[in-house]
Amino acid sequence: TYGLLRLVQEKEPDGEADKIDSFVAKVDGLYRSDDTAPKGWQTRDQLKKELRQSVRGTAHELGLKSFRDLPSLIEDYAVKHYAKFA
């Protein structure tokens, strides 16, 4: 999750560390879970949309200023690092 943490820190340089850590942990869990990101999620547009919405909602809930920018950046990262194949 270090790469994910660095990505968020770049977008939130003045963000509170505990909020950023909480956000990263939740997003990591979201993409690792087979319930929210089953095998092949990275090729299914509807699942990617739902994951982006969850990321956006979590970022907004935690008060991150870049909650609109983070979902697409995180999706790009996740496709490379959290992809699951059958």
Side-chain angles (χ1 to χ4, degrees):
T1 61
Y2 179 75
L4 189 57
L5 177 64
R6 293 294 300 148
L7 179 92
V8 176
Q9 287 173 334
E10 286 177 17
K11 292 302 285 182
E12 294 281 330
D14 300 325
E16 295 176 37
D18 60 331
K19 286 185 179 182
I20 291 174
D21 289 344
S22 176
F23 175 72
V24 168
K26 288 179 181 184
V27 169
D28 181 62
L30 192 68
Y31 281 100
R32 286 188 187 274
S33 170
D34 287 335
D35 293 330
T36 52
K39 289 181 181 175
W41 69 265
Q42 68 276 5
T43 62
R44 295 165 52 192
D45 290 337
Q46 184 61 35
L47 278 175
K48 289 179 10 180
K49 179 181 177 184
E50 291 170 10
L51 287 163
R52 282 193 309 271
Q53 289 173 338
S54 293
V55 168
R56 184 179 302 108
T58 301
H60 188 265
E61 178 183 302
L62 290 170
L64 300 181
K65 294 175 185 169
S66 56
F67 72 93
R68 287 190 177 100
D69 300 329
L70 285 171
S72 59
L73 294 172
I74 288 174
E75 179 181 76
D76 291 343
Y77 178 88
V79 165
K80 294 174 187 168
H81 299 281
Y82 291 96
K84 298 177 186 173
F85 301 96

